[in-house]
Amino acid sequence: MKVVVCVKQIPDPADPGALDPETKTLKRDSKLILDESDSYGVEMALQLVDAAGEGEVHLVSMAPNNEVAGLRTALAMGAASATVVSDDALQGSDALGTAKVLAAAIARQEPDLVLAATESSDGYTGTVPEQVAALMDLPSVTFAKSVAIENGTAKVQRQTEAGYDDVECPLPALVSVTAGVVEPRYPSFKGIMAAKSKPVDELDLAGLGVDASQVGWAGAGQEIVSIAEAPAREAGEVIEDEGDAYERIVAFLDDLKVL
Amino acid sequence: MGLDKIWVFGETNGDAVASITLEMLAAARDLADTVEVFMAGDGDDFAEELGEHGAETVYSTGDLDGGLQGVAVAAAVAAAVDDGDGPDAFLLGTTQDGRDVAGRLSVKLDSPVITNVVALEADGDELIGSEPVFGGTTDVRTKNTSGKAGIFLVRPKSFEAEGVGGAEADTEDLEVPDLGAVGGAKVTNSYVEESDGPKLDEANIVVSGGRGLGEADAFTMVDDLAKTVGGAAGASRAIVDAGWVPYSMQVGQTGKVVKPTVYIAAGISGATQHLVGMKGSKNIVAINKDPEAPIFAVADLGVVGDVHKVMPALIDALKAR
């Protein structure tokens, strides 16, 4: 069984950067890391291949300058190989443009199953997985909190507003997974060493066969018209508990007449 | 009025129209001459309530026979657009099905999705959506420039639902074309995980717990306080991911958006992902042992202390009344 996992490499959330008011893109000066949201998909893929007894996990990422720092983390966890798509023309891509690139790169792998996070930690549009599935004409199950494969069918528990649904979906298919679907492993030292020599296929748009007019600034069907500081919520009073702080909370609730 | 026609994605909770749908109808009424609803299921059952909130027509697919809404509704809408029946813009809620339909539709129409929208304005015959980023410290306004009908994913609780006494909406069929293998995902069972008491996103008081509770068992304090004050219990993503409580209790970017009169955060540090789900609360009380926790920057009353001491004392004091 071949599983492809979509992987985003993002700025360290501890140092998220800022929107560049000139170019209206995210400034990504710091080193990129594996989006933690994607570590769940990588782990899920490894466990499914393990359970199937055969197959491998391939990673697909779109990133500036053939960035692989985040991919190496996922390779160290156990993925076999990766594709990274980089091209200057990709700058400014919106979610749909990104999905077009990912779909083309994934299709080359002819996977049985595509896994993705429900949303990235930095952009959180949460639409890319479903767009990729639509572009590839694949059925999909989003918001999975558990995934198993039985007889060529994905059995998924899908989160709903009120609880969850059991969903069955024949492969090939795309499944987007929530954080908490599995506990991601930490790369072992051996894994980290092995990751350095695992194959990473570097592609540009021409190599991928995607027209530059479909992606980047040229393809984006949306435009940021303004970026402004939001009105901040003012912090109130902060007190240190000395055994009687609960009385202050009770008084606060009494003042609001909510009890 | 800027736009001629807006379509709002209809979602339901049992017999009633979901609040997010009514909220978007209220927003759409101010932006377009004609507001219509498209939805899975049987629109006849909801035509009265939707009409009351200003929808003139309800387009519905009928029973999907277990199929997920994303593929089916998007394919049906795309076919209607091909027939020239489409609107100038689509509004969908930031829900599981809303996001699925938006993603599929975006590919069908080759139109972008503008996400996490909390405010909308008309600019000529096009919509601009505002999205808070970086934990709500920055507002970004984004315009659809695709030349096709824009698709906007609207966050719950961004607009106030309000009936306008409209007449029962007309109903029309929204025909789902043959989906083939792409429609292969089927729901075989549904489970409800909601607890007793008021609903999380409707409660007047919400008490939420986070990692600072230390262990799953300590969540009973949160439940107990919520029950004592007649509120609902919520949770941060950290403890949902850890399996302490079900996802249906999650407050935040990937969970529910709440705007209660009082929000009490117990042992929650206030990660961006959580703040965007509760920052709109009218009053915020936070209890956390770390004085540097970001939650204190938005709290009206912050208590630096041990939740295991403050919460039981608070519960006892309230129960004694």
Side-chain angles (χ1 to χ4, degrees), chain A residues 16-19 26 36-37 40 94-96 99-100 118-119 121-143 145 157-170 172 174 176 178-181 183 214 219-243 245-254 256-259, chain B residues 11 13 68 70-71 94-97 99-104 106-107 110-116 128 131-146 153 155 181-194 204-205 229 237 240-241 247-248 253-254 256 261-262 264 272-273 276 278-285 287 296-306 309-310 313-314 317-318 321:
Chain A
L19 282 171
L26 201 55
E36 193 213 344
S37 303
Y40 302 95
D94 63 5
L96 183 54
K100 287 173 181 172
T118 53
E119 61 185 12
S121 306
D122 63 338
Y124 52 83
T125 66
T127 56
V128 170
E130 196 66 2
Q131 287 168 326
V132 167
L135 288 159
M136 296 182 69
D137 267 328
L138 288 177
S140 57
V141 187
T142 49
F143 302 94
K145 62 176 211 148
Q157 290 182 342
R158 176 180 185 257
Q159 287 175 350
T160 62
E161 294 293 304
Y164 67 94
D165 286 346
D166 284 336
V167 182
E168 295 191 3
C169 184
L174 177 143
S176 80
T178 59
V181 69
E183 190 63 39
Q214 292 287 302
Q222 51 185 303
E223 185 189 327
I224 291 178
V225 292
S226 74
I227 298 172
E229 203 167 304
R233 191 188 168 103
E234 282 190 31
E237 189 188 358
V238 178
I239 57 169
E240 194 97 27
D241 179 38
E242 282 164 5
Y246 72 92
E247 290 173 4
R248 290 293 306 277
I249 299 176
V250 172
F252 183 83
L253 297 177
D254 272 338
L256 296 170
K257 298 184 170 43
V258 290
L259 295 175
Chain B
E11 294 189 72
N13 269 328
L68 294 177
V71 173
T94 306
T95 58
Q96 282 84 354
D97 289 327
R99 295 213 279 195
D100 279 7
V101 174
R104 289 273 172 182
S106 130
V107 170
D110 199 29
S111 175
V113 186
I114 294 173
T115 52
N116 294 302
I128 294 176
E131 173 194 0
V133 299
F134 299 129
T137 57
T138 305
D139 279 333
V140 174
R141 290 164 64 245
T142 305
K143 184 176 176 177
N144 170 39
T145 55
S146 67
L153 274 173
R155 279 215 191 132
V182 76
K186 300 283 178 198
V187 176
T188 55
N189 259 314
S190 287
Y191 303 88
V192 173
E193 293 183 321
E194 282 182 5
N204 202 28
I205 302 180
V229 297
R237 192 178 99 175
V240 172
D241 288 352
Y247 166 75
S248 54
Q253 162 66 25
T254 43
K256 295 207 165 58
T261 306
V262 185
I264 302 174
T272 291
Q273 124 83 34
V276 299
M278 47 62 79
K279 239 173 48 162
S281 305
K282 292 191 190 70
N283 299 279
I284 297 172
V285 178
I287 308 162
F296 288 127
V298 300
D300 299 285
L301 176 61
V303 173
V304 179
D306 183 353
K309 290 185 180 143
V310 179
L314 179 58
L318 290 169
R321 286 151 64 107

